[in-house]
Amino acid sequence: MEKFVEQTLLYDFYGELLTERQQQVYESVVLEDYSLSEVAEELGISRQGVHDMIKRCNHTLEGYEGKLHLVEKFIRIRDQVREIRRIADQCQVRKIADISNEILEEL
């Protein structure tokens, strides 16, 4: 899985478990693509401090996933529902396709 997609999914599932400050820095650098220097200047900390915080956040988020496996389960269910949709489309079973679409939208 692409690193950005992985980071985004980990943050989507576990980001609320980070401190408010960690969330602010992580969102700015990873999700909004601000440079380390821009974030450091805005927060009055060093560029290295921002880098270290991002690294710690990634380690923390990966640790949560290692224990809870929520992203792994999400991806597996999403892939299974996509397979259901593919099979339903081949068989032209519209109701199954509609239900699988609803499930995917909720994920």
Side-chain angles (χ1 to χ4, degrees), residues 13-58:
F13 278 85
Y14 307 113
E16 291 293 319
L17 300 173
L18 299 175
T19 67
E20 210 171 291
R21 177 88 158 182
Q22 288 173 322
Q23 289 176 32
Q24 179 185 19
V25 170
Y26 198 86
E27 287 176 11
S28 294
V29 173
V30 176
L31 304 180
E32 298 171 8
D33 202 30
Y34 284 91
S35 72
L36 298 178
S37 299
E38 290 172 316
V39 175
E41 185 178 323
E42 180 182 321
L43 298 177
I45 59 177
S46 70
R47 184 183 176 285
Q48 184 64 44
V50 173
H51 177 268
D52 291 345
M53 186 178 293
I54 295 298
K55 194 171 181 177
R56 279 193 310 274
C57 287
N58 282 329

mmCIF file of all heavy atoms in Angstrom, residues 13-58:
data_model
loop_
_atom_site.group_PDB
_atom_site.id
_atom_site.type_symbol
_atom_site.label_atom_id
_atom_site.label_comp_id
_atom_site.label_asym_id
_atom_site.label_seq_id
_atom_site.Cartn_x
_atom_site.Cartn_y
_atom_site.Cartn_z
ATOM 1 N N PHE A 13 -8.289 6.129 11.441
ATOM 2 C CA PHE A 13 -8.744 5.188 12.459
ATOM 3 C C PHE A 13 -8.258 5.543 13.866
ATOM 4 O O PHE A 13 -8.990 5.345 14.833
ATOM 5 C CB PHE A 13 -8.298 3.764 12.109
ATOM 6 C CG PHE A 13 -9.193 3.089 11.123
ATOM 7 C CD1 PHE A 13 -9.017 3.270 9.761
ATOM 8 C CD2 PHE A 13 -10.244 2.295 11.542
ATOM 9 C CE1 PHE A 13 -9.851 2.664 8.832
ATOM 10 C CE2 PHE A 13 -11.090 1.684 10.633
ATOM 11 C CZ PHE A 13 -10.888 1.867 9.279
ATOM 12 N N TYR A 14 -7.040 6.035 13.993
ATOM 13 C CA TYR A 14 -6.444 6.206 15.316
ATOM 14 C C TYR A 14 -6.037 7.631 15.663
ATOM 15 O O TYR A 14 -5.548 7.876 16.766
ATOM 16 C CB TYR A 14 -5.205 5.307 15.440
ATOM 17 C CG TYR A 14 -5.454 3.863 15.113
ATOM 18 C CD1 TYR A 14 -4.884 3.274 13.989
ATOM 19 C CD2 TYR A 14 -6.267 3.073 15.923
ATOM 20 C CE1 TYR A 14 -5.107 1.938 13.683
ATOM 21 C CE2 TYR A 14 -6.497 1.745 15.623
ATOM 22 C CZ TYR A 14 -5.911 1.185 14.503
ATOM 23 O OH TYR A 14 -6.133 -0.133 14.204
ATOM 24 N N GLY A 15 -6.241 8.566 14.764
ATOM 25 C CA GLY A 15 -5.785 9.935 14.986
ATOM 26 C C GLY A 15 -6.332 10.583 16.242
ATOM 27 O O GLY A 15 -5.637 11.367 16.896
ATOM 28 N N GLU A 16 -7.553 10.247 16.593
ATOM 29 C CA GLU A 16 -8.164 10.832 17.795
ATOM 30 C C GLU A 16 -7.446 10.406 19.077
ATOM 31 O O GLU A 16 -7.638 11.017 20.130
ATOM 32 C CB GLU A 16 -9.646 10.452 17.888
ATOM 33 C CG GLU A 16 -10.511 11.099 16.819
ATOM 34 C CD GLU A 16 -10.607 12.613 16.971
ATOM 35 O OE1 GLU A 16 -10.724 13.105 18.103
ATOM 36 O OE2 GLU A 16 -10.531 13.291 15.931
ATOM 37 N N LEU A 17 -6.622 9.383 18.991
ATOM 38 C CA LEU A 17 -5.878 8.920 20.161
ATOM 39 C C LEU A 17 -4.584 9.703 20.369
ATOM 40 O O LEU A 17 -3.941 9.562 21.403
ATOM 41 C CB LEU A 17 -5.575 7.421 20.034
ATOM 42 C CG LEU A 17 -6.815 6.531 19.924
ATOM 43 C CD1 LEU A 17 -6.406 5.093 19.634
ATOM 44 C CD2 LEU A 17 -7.654 6.601 21.189
ATOM 45 N N LEU A 18 -4.209 10.525 19.390
ATOM 46 C CA LEU A 18 -3.046 11.392 19.533
ATOM 47 C C LEU A 18 -3.442 12.638 20.318
ATOM 48 O O LEU A 18 -4.620 12.994 20.386
ATOM 49 C CB LEU A 18 -2.525 11.817 18.151
ATOM 50 C CG LEU A 18 -2.048 10.710 17.215
ATOM 51 C CD1 LEU A 18 -1.688 11.299 15.851
ATOM 52 C CD2 LEU A 18 -0.860 9.967 17.805
ATOM 53 N N THR A 19 -2.443 13.321 20.874
ATOM 54 C CA THR A 19 -2.742 14.574 21.574
ATOM 55 C C THR A 19 -3.185 15.616 20.553
ATOM 56 O O THR A 19 -2.943 15.474 19.342
ATOM 57 C CB THR A 19 -1.504 15.104 22.323
ATOM 58 O OG1 THR A 19 -0.514 15.490 21.366
ATOM 59 C CG2 THR A 19 -0.951 14.066 23.284
ATOM 60 N N GLU A 20 -3.778 16.675 21.028
ATOM 61 C CA GLU A 20 -4.245 17.738 20.143
ATOM 62 C C GLU A 20 -3.074 18.337 19.354
ATOM 63 O O GLU A 20 -3.187 18.595 18.152
ATOM 64 C CB GLU A 20 -4.942 18.828 20.970
ATOM 65 C CG GLU A 20 -6.017 19.554 20.221
ATOM 66 C CD GLU A 20 -6.821 20.449 21.149
ATOM 67 O OE1 GLU A 20 -7.555 19.917 21.993
ATOM 68 O OE2 GLU A 20 -6.689 21.683 20.992
ATOM 69 N N ARG A 21 -1.966 18.532 20.016
ATOM 70 C CA ARG A 21 -0.773 19.099 19.369
ATOM 71 C C ARG A 21 -0.243 18.138 18.293
ATOM 72 O O ARG A 21 0.113 18.561 17.198
ATOM 73 C CB ARG A 21 0.303 19.356 20.428
ATOM 74 C CG ARG A 21 1.606 19.871 19.901
ATOM 75 C CD ARG A 21 1.585 21.340 19.817
ATOM 76 N NE ARG A 21 2.947 21.861 19.820
ATOM 77 C CZ ARG A 21 3.219 23.117 19.789
ATOM 78 N NH1 ARG A 21 2.242 23.988 19.819
ATOM 79 N NH2 ARG A 21 4.449 23.537 19.756
ATOM 80 N N GLN A 22 -0.192 16.852 18.614
ATOM 81 C CA GLN A 22 0.254 15.864 17.644
ATOM 82 C C GLN A 22 -0.677 15.846 16.432
ATOM 83 O O GLN A 22 -0.216 15.778 15.289
ATOM 84 C CB GLN A 22 0.313 14.472 18.268
ATOM 85 C CG GLN A 22 1.447 14.270 19.244
ATOM 86 C CD GLN A 22 1.352 12.938 19.959
ATOM 87 O OE1 GLN A 22 0.260 12.473 20.305
ATOM 88 N NE2 GLN A 22 2.500 12.332 20.219
ATOM 89 N N GLN A 23 -1.974 15.921 16.677
ATOM 90 C CA GLN A 23 -2.946 15.950 15.581
ATOM 91 C C GLN A 23 -2.706 17.157 14.687
ATOM 92 O O GLN A 23 -2.712 17.053 13.452
ATOM 93 C CB GLN A 23 -4.375 15.991 16.126
ATOM 94 C CG GLN A 23 -4.840 14.706 16.761
ATOM 95 C CD GLN A 23 -6.233 14.839 17.362
ATOM 96 O OE1 GLN A 23 -7.061 15.589 16.867
ATOM 97 N NE2 GLN A 23 -6.493 14.106 18.435
ATOM 98 N N GLN A 24 -2.491 18.303 15.300
ATOM 99 C CA GLN A 24 -2.276 19.542 14.550
ATOM 100 C C GLN A 24 -1.051 19.410 13.648
ATOM 101 O O GLN A 24 -1.111 19.733 12.457
ATOM 102 C CB GLN A 24 -2.100 20.703 15.525
ATOM 103 C CG GLN A 24 -1.841 22.032 14.875
ATOM 104 C CD GLN A 24 -1.563 23.129 15.900
ATOM 105 O OE1 GLN A 24 -1.219 22.866 17.048
ATOM 106 N NE2 GLN A 24 -1.716 24.364 15.472
ATOM 107 N N VAL A 25 0.052 18.939 14.197
ATOM 108 C CA VAL A 25 1.295 18.810 13.430
ATOM 109 C C VAL A 25 1.139 17.752 12.348
ATOM 110 O O VAL A 25 1.503 17.964 11.189
ATOM 111 C CB VAL A 25 2.478 18.490 14.363
ATOM 112 C CG1 VAL A 25 3.721 18.119 13.567
ATOM 113 C CG2 VAL A 25 2.760 19.672 15.290
ATOM 114 N N TYR A 26 0.574 16.608 12.703
ATOM 115 C CA TYR A 26 0.422 15.509 11.748
ATOM 116 C C TYR A 26 -0.469 15.918 10.577
ATOM 117 O O TYR A 26 -0.135 15.664 9.421
ATOM 118 C CB TYR A 26 -0.156 14.285 12.453
ATOM 119 C CG TYR A 26 0.035 13.002 11.692
ATOM 120 C CD1 TYR A 26 1.202 12.271 11.823
ATOM 121 C CD2 TYR A 26 -0.942 12.521 10.832
ATOM 122 C CE1 TYR A 26 1.392 11.090 11.120
ATOM 123 C CE2 TYR A 26 -0.767 11.345 10.129
ATOM 124 C CZ TYR A 26 0.402 10.632 10.287
ATOM 125 O OH TYR A 26 0.587 9.466 9.580
ATOM 126 N N GLU A 27 -1.573 16.533 10.877
ATOM 127 C CA GLU A 27 -2.485 16.983 9.818
ATOM 128 C C GLU A 27 -1.804 17.989 8.899
ATOM 129 O O GLU A 27 -1.932 17.908 7.667
ATOM 130 C CB GLU A 27 -3.750 17.592 10.421
ATOM 131 C CG GLU A 27 -4.680 16.566 11.016
ATOM 132 C CD GLU A 27 -5.887 17.178 11.710
ATOM 133 O OE1 GLU A 27 -6.129 18.399 11.554
ATOM 134 O OE2 GLU A 27 -6.592 16.434 12.416
ATOM 135 N N SER A 28 -1.065 18.919 9.472
ATOM 136 C CA SER A 28 -0.404 19.948 8.664
ATOM 137 C C SER A 28 0.630 19.342 7.723
ATOM 138 O O SER A 28 0.664 19.668 6.536
ATOM 139 C CB SER A 28 0.280 20.974 9.568
ATOM 140 O OG SER A 28 -0.677 21.695 10.309
ATOM 141 N N VAL A 29 1.472 18.458 8.243
ATOM 142 C CA VAL A 29 2.573 17.916 7.442
ATOM 143 C C VAL A 29 2.101 16.803 6.515
ATOM 144 O O VAL A 29 2.376 16.820 5.314
ATOM 145 C CB VAL A 29 3.714 17.410 8.354
ATOM 146 C CG1 VAL A 29 4.783 16.691 7.541
ATOM 147 C CG2 VAL A 29 4.315 18.557 9.144
ATOM 148 N N VAL A 30 1.386 15.840 7.056
ATOM 149 C CA VAL A 30 1.046 14.647 6.274
ATOM 150 C C VAL A 30 -0.179 14.871 5.393
ATOM 151 O O VAL A 30 -0.164 14.558 4.209
ATOM 152 C CB VAL A 30 0.851 13.425 7.190
ATOM 153 C CG1 VAL A 30 0.412 12.207 6.403
ATOM 154 C CG2 VAL A 30 2.132 13.127 7.962
ATOM 155 N N LEU A 31 -1.235 15.414 5.954
ATOM 156 C CA LEU A 31 -2.484 15.520 5.219
ATOM 157 C C LEU A 31 -2.583 16.793 4.373
ATOM 158 O O LEU A 31 -3.164 16.772 3.289
ATOM 159 C CB LEU A 31 -3.677 15.440 6.178
ATOM 160 C CG LEU A 31 -3.713 14.186 7.073
ATOM 161 C CD1 LEU A 31 -4.935 14.225 7.977
ATOM 162 C CD2 LEU A 31 -3.683 12.921 6.248
ATOM 163 N N GLU A 32 -2.045 17.897 4.881
ATOM 164 C CA GLU A 32 -2.157 19.167 4.164
ATOM 165 C C GLU A 32 -0.888 19.516 3.399
ATOM 166 O O GLU A 32 -0.834 20.542 2.728
ATOM 167 C CB GLU A 32 -2.533 20.275 5.143
ATOM 168 C CG GLU A 32 -3.880 20.032 5.802
ATOM 169 C CD GLU A 32 -4.178 20.993 6.941
ATOM 170 O OE1 GLU A 32 -3.412 21.967 7.144
ATOM 171 O OE2 GLU A 32 -5.179 20.769 7.645
ATOM 172 N N ASP A 33 0.146 18.697 3.530
ATOM 173 C CA ASP A 33 1.389 18.817 2.767
ATOM 174 C C ASP A 33 2.156 20.110 3.022
ATOM 175 O O ASP A 33 2.815 20.644 2.130
ATOM 176 C CB ASP A 33 1.107 18.642 1.268
ATOM 177 C CG ASP A 33 2.341 18.227 0.493
ATOM 178 O OD1 ASP A 33 3.209 17.550 1.083
ATOM 179 O OD2 ASP A 33 2.441 18.587 -0.689
ATOM 180 N N TYR A 34 2.084 20.639 4.248
ATOM 181 C CA TYR A 34 2.933 21.770 4.609
ATOM 182 C C TYR A 34 4.344 21.251 4.835
ATOM 183 O O TYR A 34 4.548 20.106 5.227
ATOM 184 C CB TYR A 34 2.437 22.444 5.896
ATOM 185 C CG TYR A 34 1.216 23.299 5.720
ATOM 186 C CD1 TYR A 34 -0.059 22.767 5.878
ATOM 187 C CD2 TYR A 34 1.333 24.644 5.402
ATOM 188 C CE1 TYR A 34 -1.191 23.551 5.721
ATOM 189 C CE2 TYR A 34 0.213 25.443 5.249
ATOM 190 C CZ TYR A 34 -1.043 24.893 5.409
ATOM 191 O OH TYR A 34 -2.156 25.676 5.249
ATOM 192 N N SER A 35 5.324 22.100 4.615
ATOM 193 C CA SER A 35 6.710 21.693 4.852
ATOM 194 C C SER A 35 6.991 21.687 6.357
ATOM 195 O O SER A 35 6.292 22.347 7.140
ATOM 196 C CB SER A 35 7.675 22.641 4.149
ATOM 197 O OG SER A 35 7.702 23.893 4.809
ATOM 198 N N LEU A 36 8.029 20.962 6.736
ATOM 199 C CA LEU A 36 8.435 20.936 8.140
ATOM 200 C C LEU A 36 8.779 22.339 8.616
ATOM 201 O O LEU A 36 8.437 22.724 9.736
ATOM 202 C CB LEU A 36 9.639 20.006 8.332
ATOM 203 C CG LEU A 36 9.436 18.530 7.985
ATOM 204 C CD1 LEU A 36 10.731 17.754 8.181
ATOM 205 C CD2 LEU A 36 8.320 17.916 8.814
ATOM 206 N N SER A 37 9.428 23.104 7.753
ATOM 207 C CA SER A 37 9.812 24.475 8.100
ATOM 208 C C SER A 37 8.593 25.367 8.332
ATOM 209 O O SER A 37 8.580 26.175 9.267
ATOM 210 C CB SER A 37 10.678 25.077 6.990
ATOM 211 O OG SER A 37 11.851 24.320 6.828
ATOM 212 N N GLU A 38 7.597 25.228 7.482
ATOM 213 C CA GLU A 38 6.380 26.035 7.635
ATOM 214 C C GLU A 38 5.688 25.739 8.961
ATOM 215 O O GLU A 38 5.270 26.650 9.674
ATOM 216 C CB GLU A 38 5.412 25.767 6.488
ATOM 217 C CG GLU A 38 5.851 26.298 5.143
ATOM 218 C CD GLU A 38 4.959 25.854 4.006
ATOM 219 O OE1 GLU A 38 4.579 24.664 3.957
ATOM 220 O OE2 GLU A 38 4.633 26.713 3.165
ATOM 221 N N VAL A 39 5.574 24.470 9.282
ATOM 222 C CA VAL A 39 4.911 24.076 10.531
ATOM 223 C C VAL A 39 5.748 24.510 11.732
ATOM 224 O O VAL A 39 5.213 25.025 12.717
ATOM 225 C CB VAL A 39 4.643 22.553 10.559
ATOM 226 C CG1 VAL A 39 4.058 22.121 11.893
ATOM 227 C CG2 VAL A 39 3.705 22.170 9.418
ATOM 228 N N ALA A 40 7.052 24.334 11.636
ATOM 229 C CA ALA A 40 7.941 24.731 12.732
ATOM 230 C C ALA A 40 7.823 26.225 13.013
ATOM 231 O O ALA A 40 7.723 26.638 14.171
ATOM 232 C CB ALA A 40 9.384 24.364 12.377
ATOM 233 N N GLU A 41 7.821 27.021 11.961
ATOM 234 C CA GLU A 41 7.710 28.473 12.122
ATOM 235 C C GLU A 41 6.367 28.853 12.742
ATOM 236 O O GLU A 41 6.298 29.681 13.653
ATOM 237 C CB GLU A 41 7.869 29.163 10.767
ATOM 238 C CG GLU A 41 7.885 30.669 10.852
ATOM 239 C CD GLU A 41 8.101 31.331 9.507
ATOM 240 O OE1 GLU A 41 8.888 30.794 8.700
ATOM 241 O OE2 GLU A 41 7.463 32.383 9.278
ATOM 242 N N GLU A 42 5.303 28.225 12.263
ATOM 243 C CA GLU A 42 3.961 28.529 12.772
ATOM 244 C C GLU A 42 3.832 28.188 14.256
ATOM 245 O O GLU A 42 3.195 28.914 15.019
ATOM 246 C CB GLU A 42 2.926 27.749 11.976
ATOM 247 C CG GLU A 42 1.491 27.996 12.412
ATOM 248 C CD GLU A 42 0.499 27.162 11.622
ATOM 249 O OE1 GLU A 42 0.689 26.992 10.407
ATOM 250 O OE2 GLU A 42 -0.469 26.689 12.246
ATOM 251 N N LEU A 43 4.447 27.089 14.675
ATOM 252 C CA LEU A 43 4.303 26.628 16.057
ATOM 253 C C LEU A 43 5.426 27.092 16.977
ATOM 254 O O LEU A 43 5.389 26.832 18.181
ATOM 255 C CB LEU A 43 4.213 25.102 16.081
ATOM 256 C CG LEU A 43 3.033 24.485 15.342
ATOM 257 C CD1 LEU A 43 3.100 22.969 15.386
ATOM 258 C CD2 LEU A 43 1.716 24.981 15.932
ATOM 259 N N GLY A 44 6.443 27.721 16.400
ATOM 260 C CA GLY A 44 7.544 28.209 17.217
ATOM 261 C C GLY A 44 8.428 27.086 17.751
ATOM 262 O O GLY A 44 8.939 27.185 18.876
ATOM 263 N N ILE A 45 8.585 26.043 16.972
ATOM 264 C CA ILE A 45 9.480 24.951 17.354
ATOM 265 C C ILE A 45 10.454 24.706 16.202
ATOM 266 O O ILE A 45 10.320 25.285 15.131
ATOM 267 C CB ILE A 45 8.716 23.643 17.704
ATOM 268 C CG1 ILE A 45 7.871 23.162 16.516
ATOM 269 C CG2 ILE A 45 7.831 23.851 18.919
ATOM 270 C CD1 ILE A 45 7.154 21.842 16.765
ATOM 271 N N SER A 46 11.441 23.854 16.450
ATOM 272 C CA SER A 46 12.439 23.600 15.415
ATOM 273 C C SER A 46 11.892 22.665 14.346
ATOM 274 O O SER A 46 10.950 21.901 14.577
ATOM 275 C CB SER A 46 13.692 22.978 16.033
ATOM 276 O OG SER A 46 13.426 21.655 16.455
ATOM 277 N N ARG A 47 12.509 22.728 13.193
ATOM 278 C CA ARG A 47 12.161 21.829 12.089
ATOM 279 C C ARG A 47 12.396 20.382 12.522
ATOM 280 O O ARG A 47 11.598 19.499 12.232
ATOM 281 C CB ARG A 47 13.037 22.197 10.876
ATOM 282 C CG ARG A 47 12.732 21.422 9.635
ATOM 283 C CD ARG A 47 13.720 21.811 8.518
ATOM 284 N NE ARG A 47 13.514 21.015 7.336
ATOM 285 C CZ ARG A 47 13.889 19.745 7.199
ATOM 286 N NH1 ARG A 47 14.488 19.122 8.173
ATOM 287 N NH2 ARG A 47 13.654 19.098 6.072
ATOM 288 N N GLN A 48 13.489 20.165 13.249
ATOM 289 C CA GLN A 48 13.797 18.825 13.753
ATOM 290 C C GLN A 48 12.725 18.360 14.742
ATOM 291 O O GLN A 48 12.352 17.188 14.760
ATOM 292 C CB GLN A 48 15.171 18.803 14.443
ATOM 293 C CG GLN A 48 15.606 17.426 14.902
ATOM 294 C CD GLN A 48 15.798 16.455 13.755
ATOM 295 O OE1 GLN A 48 16.383 16.811 12.739
ATOM 296 N NE2 GLN A 48 15.297 15.243 13.905
ATOM 297 N N GLY A 49 12.200 19.277 15.525
ATOM 298 C CA GLY A 49 11.129 18.938 16.463
ATOM 299 C C GLY A 49 9.879 18.463 15.737
ATOM 300 O O GLY A 49 9.215 17.516 16.169
ATOM 301 N N VAL A 50 9.554 19.120 14.628
ATOM 302 C CA VAL A 50 8.400 18.712 13.822
ATOM 303 C C VAL A 50 8.663 17.333 13.230
ATOM 304 O O VAL A 50 7.799 16.446 13.287
ATOM 305 C CB VAL A 50 8.111 19.742 12.698
ATOM 306 C CG1 VAL A 50 7.030 19.233 11.762
ATOM 307 C CG2 VAL A 50 7.714 21.082 13.297
ATOM 308 N N HIS A 51 9.852 17.137 12.689
ATOM 309 C CA HIS A 51 10.218 15.841 12.103
ATOM 310 C C HIS A 51 10.107 14.731 13.141
ATOM 311 O O HIS A 51 9.540 13.667 12.872
ATOM 312 C CB HIS A 51 11.646 15.906 11.543
ATOM 313 C CG HIS A 51 12.118 14.606 10.989
ATOM 314 N ND1 HIS A 51 12.804 13.684 11.758
ATOM 315 C CD2 HIS A 51 11.986 14.060 9.758
ATOM 316 C CE1 HIS A 51 13.081 12.630 11.009
ATOM 317 N NE2 HIS A 51 12.593 12.833 9.795
ATOM 318 N N ASP A 52 10.650 14.969 14.325
ATOM 319 C CA ASP A 52 10.602 13.957 15.389
ATOM 320 C C ASP A 52 9.168 13.647 15.806
ATOM 321 O O ASP A 52 8.826 12.498 16.064
ATOM 322 C CB ASP A 52 11.420 14.415 16.597
ATOM 323 C CG ASP A 52 12.918 14.446 16.328
ATOM 324 O OD1 ASP A 52 13.363 13.853 15.313
ATOM 325 O OD2 ASP A 52 13.646 15.075 17.123
ATOM 326 N N MET A 53 8.322 14.687 15.854
ATOM 327 C CA MET A 53 6.935 14.470 16.247
ATOM 328 C C MET A 53 6.199 13.623 15.213
ATOM 329 O O MET A 53 5.432 12.722 15.569
ATOM 330 C CB MET A 53 6.205 15.790 16.479
ATOM 331 C CG MET A 53 4.795 15.582 17.029
ATOM 332 S SD MET A 53 3.898 17.104 17.382
ATOM 333 C CE MET A 53 4.853 17.758 18.746
ATOM 334 N N ILE A 54 6.431 13.896 13.934
ATOM 335 C CA ILE A 54 5.808 13.102 12.864
ATOM 336 C C ILE A 54 6.261 11.648 12.973
ATOM 337 O O ILE A 54 5.447 10.721 12.871
ATOM 338 C CB ILE A 54 6.148 13.675 11.476
ATOM 339 C CG1 ILE A 54 5.541 15.059 11.299
ATOM 340 C CG2 ILE A 54 5.693 12.729 10.362
ATOM 341 C CD1 ILE A 54 4.037 15.105 11.366
ATOM 342 N N LYS A 55 7.538 11.462 13.214
ATOM 343 C CA LYS A 55 8.085 10.112 13.344
ATOM 344 C C LYS A 55 7.457 9.382 14.540
ATOM 345 O O LYS A 55 7.064 8.227 14.434
ATOM 346 C CB LYS A 55 9.608 10.196 13.499
ATOM 347 C CG LYS A 55 10.323 8.901 13.315
ATOM 348 C CD LYS A 55 11.818 9.137 13.262
ATOM 349 C CE LYS A 55 12.539 7.834 13.056
ATOM 350 N NZ LYS A 55 13.986 8.028 12.922
ATOM 351 N N ARG A 56 7.330 10.075 15.675
ATOM 352 C CA ARG A 56 6.694 9.478 16.861
ATOM 353 C C ARG A 56 5.225 9.167 16.609
ATOM 354 O O ARG A 56 4.716 8.118 17.010
ATOM 355 C CB ARG A 56 6.834 10.407 18.069
ATOM 356 C CG ARG A 56 8.159 10.324 18.764
ATOM 357 C CD ARG A 56 8.144 11.010 20.130
ATOM 358 N NE ARG A 56 7.597 12.365 20.120
ATOM 359 C CZ ARG A 56 8.301 13.455 19.860
ATOM 360 N NH1 ARG A 56 9.574 13.387 19.572
ATOM 361 N NH2 ARG A 56 7.716 14.643 19.884
ATOM 362 N N CYS A 57 4.532 10.082 15.926
ATOM 363 C CA CYS A 57 3.116 9.861 15.607
ATOM 364 C C CYS A 57 2.956 8.628 14.724
ATOM 365 O O CYS A 57 2.080 7.792 14.973
ATOM 366 C CB CYS A 57 2.519 11.080 14.910
ATOM 367 S SG CYS A 57 2.256 12.500 15.980
ATOM 368 N N ASN A 58 3.787 8.509 13.689
ATOM 369 C CA ASN A 58 3.725 7.333 12.822
ATOM 370 C C ASN A 58 3.964 6.061 13.616
ATOM 371 O O ASN A 58 3.248 5.070 13.444
ATOM 372 C CB ASN A 58 4.745 7.437 11.678
ATOM 373 C CG ASN A 58 4.276 8.349 10.573
ATOM 374 O OD1 ASN A 58 3.085 8.472 10.316
ATOM 375 N ND2 ASN A 58 5.218 8.990 9.906
#
